[in-house]
């Protein structure tokens, strides 16, 4: 690899790692809560009947 | 090595490499589909397509992870060099698996008569301003376009046409594509699937690839920092016998470019560290059959003058060397490619 490619490598990977780590963490923390279990969904239907 | 262009220069090693590669991908896709099918039996054709979408997506991510690990692993240990030899076929196959993943996704929407939903999702400009809710398929599509560009320009014709420095710079876009793929999964399936396997796969995959690249990137820094020049501006490479026989010591010129100082018995010569093929690190190769042999793809050059043996025509820049006070010294000003410059030592 030429010197400029080595320099590019040394700059790209730490920057990419930082951006992806930040994006991944945000995506993990901010994901919506799981769907309620099916039993809880049936309750209003039972009440309606 | 080649004296002309052919679509693919098949040989026994490449055929074995490709056969193992295709078999491994087929086994993975089959195993993934069978296991998932058993755990979550599909109730419709769309469900079945969904399983294949997951299988091809996982395969493409893992293949990309392996491809990006091969380069730094080969720098850390010569045992991984055979994997590097035919990496371009690995890359083309990864593009094909990723393209199948995208095609199956379109097929899934067609099966549900919901293609307008797909178009609406991709063209809703408002959602591009959100983080959660960002059209993650656009990230996958962008990564797929990069993979297509890499696969389309992987042939040696494009390497020769663009020249190695431009070609290498272009192919670094694969790193960005990998980041896009990680975010495609993180903002896509990871948002509505609660399994731990998906975050674990992303953390391990990206962590290994990024870690390997950061480690190998910092490894060669001492070579560039430790430039020892004589008063006349020559580089001291050390006593002749400190250079391993049929191998090289890499030294850095004042500008930072590297020079490989090889010793073959009592002959010492210096050539650029850049292979004429793909700028591979010649100084990490060995002298085989009397020729400097690039560790990446086996391109060969004579130590005496940096020329590839006939009928090949590649030539390397050489450097003047001399033995002074028991130390091999190298003039960091390159000679025209193919200039004889090696010396015999007592």
């Amino acid at each position: 690899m030429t010197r400029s490619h080595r320099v590019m490598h040394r700059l790209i990977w730490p920057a990419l790692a930082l951006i992806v780590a930040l994006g991944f963490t945000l995506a993990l923390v901010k994901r919506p809560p799981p769907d309620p279990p099916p039993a809880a969904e049936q309750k209003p239907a039972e009440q309606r009947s | 090595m080649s004296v002309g262009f052919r679509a693919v220069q098949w040989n026994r090693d490449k055929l074995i490499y490709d056969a193992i590669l295709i078999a491994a991908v087929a086994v993975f896709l089959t195993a993934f589909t069978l296991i998932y099918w058993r755990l979550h039996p599909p109730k419709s054709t769309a469900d079945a397509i969904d399983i294949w979408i997951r299988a091809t997506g996982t395969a493409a991510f893992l293949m990309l992870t392996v491809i990006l690990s091969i380069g730094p692993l080969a720098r850390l240990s010569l045992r991984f060099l055979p994997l590097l030899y035919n990496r371009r076929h690995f890359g083309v196959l990864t593009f094909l698996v990723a393209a199948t993943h995208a095609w199956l996704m379109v097929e899934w929407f067609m099966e549900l008569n919901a293609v307008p939903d797909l178009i609406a999702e991709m063209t809703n400009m408002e959602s591009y301003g959100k983080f959660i809710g960002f059209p993650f398929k656009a990230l996958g599509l962008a990564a797929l376009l990069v993979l297509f560009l890499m696969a389309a320009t992987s042939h040696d014709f494009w390497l020769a046409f663009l020249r190695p420095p431009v070609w290498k710079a272009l192919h670094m876009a694969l790193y960005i594509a990998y980041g896009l793929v990680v975010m495609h999964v993180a903002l896509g399936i990871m948002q509505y699937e609660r399994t731990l396997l998906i975050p674990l796969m992303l953390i391990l995959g990206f962590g290994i690839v990024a870690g390997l690249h950061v480690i190998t990137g910092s490894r060669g820094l001492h070579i560039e920092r430790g430039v020892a020049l004589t008063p006349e501006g020559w580089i001291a490479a050390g006593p002749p016998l400190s250079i391993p026989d049929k191998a090289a010591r890499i030294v850095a010129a004042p500008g930072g470019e590297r020079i490989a100082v090889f010793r073959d018995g009592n002959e010492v010569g210096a050539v650029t560290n850049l292979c004429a093929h793909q700028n591979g690190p010649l100084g990490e190769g060995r002298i085989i059959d009397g020729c400097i042999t690039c560790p990446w793809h086996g391109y060969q050059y004579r130590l005496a003058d940096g020329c590839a043996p006939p009928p090949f025509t590649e030539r390397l820049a050489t450097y003047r060397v001399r033995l002074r006070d028991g130390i091999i010294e190298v003039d960091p000003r390159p000679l025209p490619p193919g200039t004889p410059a090696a010396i015999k030592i007592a």
Side-chain angles (χ1 to χ4, degrees), chain B residues 115-139:
Chain B
V115 175
D117 292 351
L118 174 62
I119 295 168
E121 187 185 329
M122 297 291 279
T123 55
N124 180 3
M125 290 303 142
E126 202 180 302
S127 58
Y128 283 89
K130 297 175 185 169
F131 183 68
I132 299 296
F134 187 92
F136 67 94
K137 292 184 185 72
L139 297 172

Side-chain angles (χ1 to χ4, degrees), chain B residues 195-237:
Chain B
T195 172
L196 263 177
L197 286 174
I198 295 168
L200 269 180
M201 182 182 79
L202 294 181
I203 291 170
L204 278 177
F206 189 80
I208 288 170
V209 170
L212 282 171
H213 279 272
V214 169
I215 289 167
T216 47
S218 59
R219 255 184 114 210
L221 276 174
H222 70 280
I223 296 173
E224 284 152 41
R225 286 178 182 153
V227 182
L229 293 178
T230 66
E232 295 157 281
W234 288 52
I235 304 163

Side-chain angles (χ1 to χ4, degrees), chain B residues 250-327:
Chain B
I250 300 170
V251 295
E257 288 300 349
R258 293 179 180 180
I259 300 167
V261 186
F262 277 91
R263 181 168 76 87
D264 186 7
N266 65 346
E267 187 181 15
V268 175
V271 296
T272 171
N273 194 45
L274 303 171
C275 178
H277 176 221
Q278 277 190 19
N279 284 350
L282 281 175
E284 293 173 26
R286 295 189 60 79
I287 292 181
I288 299 170
D289 299 330
C291 286
I292 297 167
T293 305
C294 180
W296 280 9
H297 301 98
Y299 273 56
Q300 291 192 305
Y301 309 91
R302 292 190 298 247
L303 175 61
D305 56 9
C307 292
F312 306 106
T313 54
E314 291 86 0
R315 289 184 304 169
L316 301 174
T318 54
Y319 294 83
R320 287 193 295 160
V321 286
R322 69 186 181 193
L323 182 63
R324 180 160 289 188
D325 300 330
I327 300 291

Side-chain angles (χ1 to χ4, degrees), chain A residues 42-49:
Chain A
Q42 280 172 4
K43 212 172 179 183
E46 286 166 10
Q47 284 170 347
R48 273 201 301 273
S49 65

Side-chain angles (χ1 to χ4, degrees), chain B residues 19-307:
Chain B
I20 292 172
L21 193 60
I22 292 167
V25 173
V27 166
F28 177 85
L29 291 176
T30 309
F32 187 103
T33 306
L34 287 178
I35 292 169
Y36 203 94
W37 201 288
R38 194 171 171 80
L39 294 175
H40 309 276
K43 297 181 182 71
S44 63
T45 309
D47 283 355
I49 294 173
D50 182 61
I51 295 175
W52 296 327
I53 292 173
R54 289 164 190 264
T56 48
T58 310
F61 175 79
L62 294 177
M63 289 170 80
L64 209 48
T65 303
V66 173
I67 284 175
L68 287 170
S69 302
I70 289 174
L73 280 174
R75 307 294 298 277
L76 294 173
S77 169
L78 297 179
R79 281 178 303 170
F80 293 99
L81 276 175
L83 292 175
L84 192 75
Y85 176 63
N86 209 22
R87 188 171 49 167
R88 72 175 70 187
H89 286 196
F90 203 152
V92 172
L93 187 62
T94 303
F95 162 70
L96 293 176
V97 173
T100 307
H101 171 73
W103 170 71
L104 284 167
M105 194 270 299
V106 175
E107 196 68 18
W108 185 84
F109 276 91
M110 286 168 71
E111 178 64 26
L112 295 174
N113 290 320
V115 175
D117 292 351
L118 174 62
I119 295 168
E121 187 185 329
M122 297 291 279
T123 55
N124 180 3
M125 290 303 142
E126 202 180 302
S127 58
Y128 283 89
K130 297 175 185 169
F131 183 68
I132 299 296
F134 187 92
F136 67 94
K137 292 184 185 72
L139 297 172
L141 186 62
L144 185 65
L145 289 175
V146 174
L147 286 179
F148 169 72
L149 188 68
M150 305 291 98
T153 59
S154 65
H155 194 269
D156 270 356
F157 167 79
W158 286 103
L159 177 61
F161 181 74
L162 296 169
R163 312 302 304 157
V166 176
W167 189 86
K168 286 299 280 184
L170 183 73
H171 279 240
M172 281 188 187
L174 193 61
Y175 306 153
I176 309 297
Y178 190 57
L180 289 171
V181 168
V182 172
M183 290 315 295
H184 166 69
V185 181
L187 292 175
I189 195 164
M190 198 179 84
Q191 294 300 307
Y192 48 88
E193 290 269 335
R194 284 286 145 175
T195 172
L196 263 177
L197 286 174
I198 295 168
L200 269 180
M201 182 182 79
L202 294 181
I203 291 170
L204 278 177
F206 189 80
I208 288 170
V209 170
L212 282 171
H213 279 272
V214 169
I215 289 167
T216 47
S218 59
R219 255 184 114 210
L221 276 174
H222 70 280
I223 296 173
E224 284 152 41
R225 286 178 182 153
V227 182
L229 293 178
T230 66
E232 295 157 281
W234 288 52
I235 304 163
L241 293 181
S242 71
I243 302 169
D245 191 24
K246 300 197 184 300
R249 165 159 302 146
I250 300 170
V251 295
E257 288 300 349
R258 293 179 180 180
I259 300 167
V261 186
F262 277 91
R263 181 168 76 87
D264 186 7
N266 65 346
E267 187 181 15
V268 175
V271 296
T272 171
N273 194 45
L274 303 171
C275 178
H277 176 221
Q278 277 190 19
N279 284 350
L282 281 175
E284 293 173 26
R286 295 189 60 79
I287 292 181
I288 299 170
D289 299 330
C291 286
I292 297 167
T293 305
C294 180
W296 280 9
H297 301 98
Y299 273 56
Q300 291 192 305
Y301 309 91
R302 292 190 298 247
L303 175 61
D305 56 9
C307 292

